[in-house]
Amino acid sequence: MNLNCPMPKLDFDTITLGHGSGGKLTNILLDSGVFEVLKNDILDKRHDGAVLDLKGKTAFTTDSFVISPIFFPGGNIGELAVNGTVNDLAMCGAIPRHLSLSFIIEEGLPMTEFWDILVSIRDACIASGVQVVTGDTKVVERGKGDKVFINTTGIGELHPEAAIDLNRIEPGDKVILSGELAAHGMAIMSVREGLEFESQIESDTQPLNHLVKDLLDEAGTDIKLLRDPTRGGVATVLNEIARDRALGIRIAQHDLPINEQVAGACEILGLDPLYVANEGLCLAVVAEAAVDPFLKTCQANPAGHFAKVIGTVTEEHPKKVVMTSGIGGKRVVNMLTGEQLPRIC
Amino acid sequence: MNLNCPMPKLDFDTITLGHGSGGKLTNILLDSGVFEVLKNDILDKRHDGAVLDLKGKTAFTTDSFVISPIFFPGGNIGELAVNGTVNDLAMCGAIPRHLSLSFIIEEGLPMTEFWDILVSIRDACIASGVQVVTGDTKVVERGKGDKVFINTTGIGELHPEAAIDLNRIEPGDKVILSGELAAHGMAIMSVREGLEFESQIESDTQPLNHLVKDLLDEAGTDIKLLRDPTRGGVATVLNEIARDRALGIRIAQHDLPINEQVAGACEILGLDPLYVANEGLCLAVVAEAAVDPFLKTCQANPAGHFAKVIGTVTEEHPKKVVMTSGIGGKRVVNMLTGEQLPRIC
């Protein structure tokens, strides 16, 4: 229940197929609070599309969110959908500005759940400074969806100092993680598996755009790549970089920042944290000279407090990611094969 | 089967949860032809987002497509998803340029069906002159989706002569339909109901952007509103205009352009064609002085061949749409209540 934004009294308790008809019931659903909660000058025009004034180069990215359960420790599908797309824009080196928001709802979704998701979307938009400017609502029959899926597509303005380009990565560049890994995946997994810990593991879902803006202000073109290691985790992103740039990456296990409880949960479930999804983490490849100011900027920002150098780009073992273990052994870290944690975002 | 773009030999026949993992299988799926089919300079960068150079004012619109069945007479969900968003951009008075493309696939979807959808997406993009520049693929468990849902979100550049604004509508303006109504909804409905006619009713799914560009070149600011009457049909759009502008609209039943077979199918099923969805139709509100050049431009374009004036904006009966019947009687046309045809787009 959102005490700061209570649901208005409505004469329906659940969402029905009719609410996706495009007719009267769709209008009733939208007027029941959707437009009011997400209110802004552009959305208020209620046309099929929004008209925007954009400056400079524009970043554009899309994600559909199908996470299950839709409410999880540390967040829900609504804020995840905003933060996820905001972060993808930030990873392009952009300042996120506008979002589209599209729901695919399974009939029978309680209005109270829809409302809580909506208010979380609003709060996440405020936190990252973006506006929902256009949207769509579809409803499918029971058993043809799963509560709610959300697509967010985002537009951002490229930061003037951004030069994010995989091809600029060189041997000697450093790989930095902005925080502790594997929290999101393990939060979802512990709910699904019914694991109980002393304190609950929470998803790390958070917007990274303010951190990234500070980093670009500070380190500019010395930042060669930004990626958020969501599905597939850190290992998959590192492998994609190594493959696409035909260089090697060397990481050390003891450098990986990880919360003790998350590490414990991974061990219990036999999961490698390198493959577990993150939702508030940035992986950066940075010129060696810029590492210190980069880390300093991270640490001055709550979203980057636990930032750490985790590896180095090498000429050796091209297209391979090699990890030194705690006891000095070496192993190749492959890309995630198969589905480790389905519907994690 | 697409003979002009055959599916490559693959070692998997259906899409599995692993193909949505973000890891190795996702890469295998994307490399199996997705990137090749949709190939363009921007998509080829394979970053999480695209970076675009846009000129002038930008239109932005989103739609999720959940149509069932995914293959229907006259089209499939793939081309519908492209045409639908292209048309929403056109209705803003924009020249469509870039699309994002996001799939939510139910595990078990045959690769041949996915491939056919993909090739249709490519062909629809070529027909309307847009590029898919960024995308996303999620897979949900059997029974948690329905074959495939597609979100397309589009970006377009506003036509320099466009002044689409509901508030510019005045009494005396004319309402024009660009073609025959109700074909899309009746094509879907006749498949669902197993109706057989002498010749099959086909969806009118088609891109309207070339027609709209010609109309804006010709009639410019005399075009006050453009809307595509999809879900909820022509009646819902007319009611939204009347409500939001607080003016009346008068239409005459005998002016409504409708194919004889479609009219017959509506009669058999007891459906009012004014409420049936269209996917290749544009409803325009135009200053009276511009009606002749508007119609002439329509008729010179295959997408506007059957264009007709269907009504007039009036000061009388504000917020109401009133229709004169064939025998001279008058009735109020309300907004669609409830769900007439679920999952029509």
Side-chain angles (χ1 to χ4, degrees), chain B:
Chain B
M1 252 291 278
N2 277 280
L3 294 173
N4 68 338
C5 186
M7 188 171 86
K9 270 202 189 312
L10 300 173
D11 57 4
F12 56 99
D13 295 330
T14 61
I15 291 178
T16 63
L17 278 177
H19 289 118
S21 66
K24 200 165 184 171
L25 283 175
T26 303
N27 274 281
I28 287 175
L29 176 65
L30 297 178
D31 288 331
S32 77
V34 177
F35 276 111
E36 198 49 39
V37 168
L38 301 176
K39 195 172 178 54
N40 62 62
D41 286 353
I42 304 172
L43 189 66
D44 291 354
K45 291 202 188 291
R46 297 184 66 156
H47 199 279
D48 272 349
V51 175
L52 311 172
D53 263 314
L54 301 172
K55 290 181 209 90
K57 290 206 170 192
T58 302
F60 181 47
T61 185
T62 192
D63 249 322
S64 286
F65 294 82
V66 299
I67 191 167
S68 173
I70 57 174
F71 293 91
F72 51 82
N76 67 49
I77 190 171
E79 66 184 286
L80 187 72
V82 173
N83 291 344
T85 292
V86 159
N87 290 349
D88 278 349
L89 289 171
M91 298 307 125
C92 296
I95 314 294
R97 294 287 184 217
H98 308 288
L99 291 188
S100 67
L101 174 65
S102 178
F103 294 104
I104 299 176
I105 300 170
E106 183 191 18
E107 76 175 315
L109 182 74
M111 261 310 285
T112 51
E113 294 191 9
F114 183 65
W115 186 260
D116 284 351
I117 290 168
L118 204 60
V119 175
S120 293
I121 287 171
R122 181 199 64 174
D123 293 347
C125 284
I126 293 170
S128 57
V130 296
Q131 285 183 326
V132 170
V133 293
T134 190
D136 181 45
T137 309
K138 295 290 193 314
V139 183
V140 297
E141 307 92 328
R142 233 176 264 266
K144 301 293 184 184
D146 193 11
K147 293 179 185 286
V148 61
F149 302 144
I150 302 179
N151 177 281
T152 48
T153 301
I155 286 183
E157 292 166 14
L158 222 60
H159 188 289
E161 297 299 316
I164 306 297
D165 186 351
L166 184 110
N167 295 313
R168 296 181 53 241
I169 296 176
E170 296 295 335
D173 288 346
K174 294 295 178 185
V175 179
I176 300 177
L177 263 192
S178 66
E180 295 177 324
L181 78 168
H184 177 74
M186 294 322 296
I188 305 302
M189 206 57 188
S190 43
V191 178
R192 289 197 197 152
E193 300 288 322
L195 295 186
E196 280 183 30
F197 300 98
E198 257 176 66
S199 62
Q200 197 168 40
I201 297 176
E202 295 207 332
S203 166
D204 63 342
T205 179
Q206 62 178 337
L208 295 167
N209 59 316
H210 302 306
L211 169 62
V212 167
K213 186 188 171 296
D214 289 351
L215 290 170
L216 287 167
D217 287 348
E218 178 65 37
T221 56
D222 282 334
I223 303 173
K224 309 215 177 157
L225 195 72
L226 296 167
R227 291 286 300 273
D228 57 336
T230 56
R231 285 181 296 172
V234 169
T236 299
V237 168
L238 292 175
N239 270 283
E240 285 174 354
I241 298 170
R243 175 196 66 191
D244 294 345
R245 185 66 185 96
L247 289 169
I249 296 178
R250 194 175 60 229
I251 60 174
Q253 193 166 21
H254 63 83
D255 286 334
L256 295 174
I258 185 164
N259 169 285
E260 213 173 298
Q261 198 161 22
V262 171
C266 285
E267 224 172 282
I268 291 171
L269 294 172
L271 296 172
D272 184 337
L274 279 174
Y275 295 96
V276 176
N278 311 278
E279 288 291 342
L281 196 60
C282 168
L283 185 151
V285 182
V286 178
E288 195 172 4
V291 165
D292 285 342
F294 188 101
L295 284 177
K296 226 169 155 178
T297 305
C298 275
Q299 285 147 4
N301 192 305
H305 194 69
F306 295 101
K308 235 176 137 182
V309 175
I310 65 157
T312 306
V313 178
T314 66
E315 264 179 297
E316 298 115 64
H317 51 82
K319 301 192 180 185
K320 282 199 171 59
V321 179
V322 173
M323 182 164 78
T324 313
S325 75
I327 51 164
K330 281 184 185 177
R331 69 171 175 94
V332 172
V333 177
N334 287 311
M335 200 175 272
L336 172 63
T337 318
E339 175 71 89
Q340 196 178 35
L341 295 171
R343 299 182 59 192
I344 204 70
C345 63

Side-chain angles (χ1 to χ4, degrees), chain A residues 116-239:
Chain A
D116 285 351
I117 289 167
L118 204 60
V119 175
S120 294
I121 287 171
R122 181 200 63 177
D123 293 346
C125 284
I126 293 170
S128 58
V130 296
Q131 285 183 327
V132 171
V133 293
T134 191
D136 181 45
T137 309
K138 294 291 193 314
V139 183
V140 297
E141 306 92 328
R142 232 176 264 269
K144 300 294 185 184
D146 193 11
K147 292 180 186 285
V148 60
F149 303 143
I150 301 179
N151 177 281
T152 48
T153 302
I155 286 182
E157 290 166 14
L158 222 60
H159 188 289
E161 298 299 315
I164 307 297
D165 186 351
L166 184 111
N167 295 313
R168 295 182 53 242
I169 296 176
E170 296 296 337
D173 288 346
K174 294 296 178 185
V175 180
I176 300 176
L177 263 193
S178 66
E180 295 177 324
L181 78 168
H184 177 73
M186 295 321 297
I188 305 303
M189 206 57 186
S190 42
V191 177
R192 288 196 197 153
E193 300 287 323
L195 294 186
E196 280 184 30
F197 300 98
E198 257 177 66
S199 63
Q200 198 168 37
I201 297 176
E202 296 207 333
S203 166
D204 63 343
T205 179
Q206 62 177 337
L208 294 167
N209 59 315
H210 302 306
L211 169 63
V212 167
K213 186 188 172 295
D214 289 351
L215 290 169
L216 287 166
D217 286 348
E218 179 63 38
T221 56
D222 282 333
I223 302 173
K224 310 215 176 155
L225 196 72
L226 296 168
R227 292 285 300 273
D228 58 335
T230 56
R231 284 182 297 172
V234 169
T236 299
V237 169
L238 292 176
N239 270 283

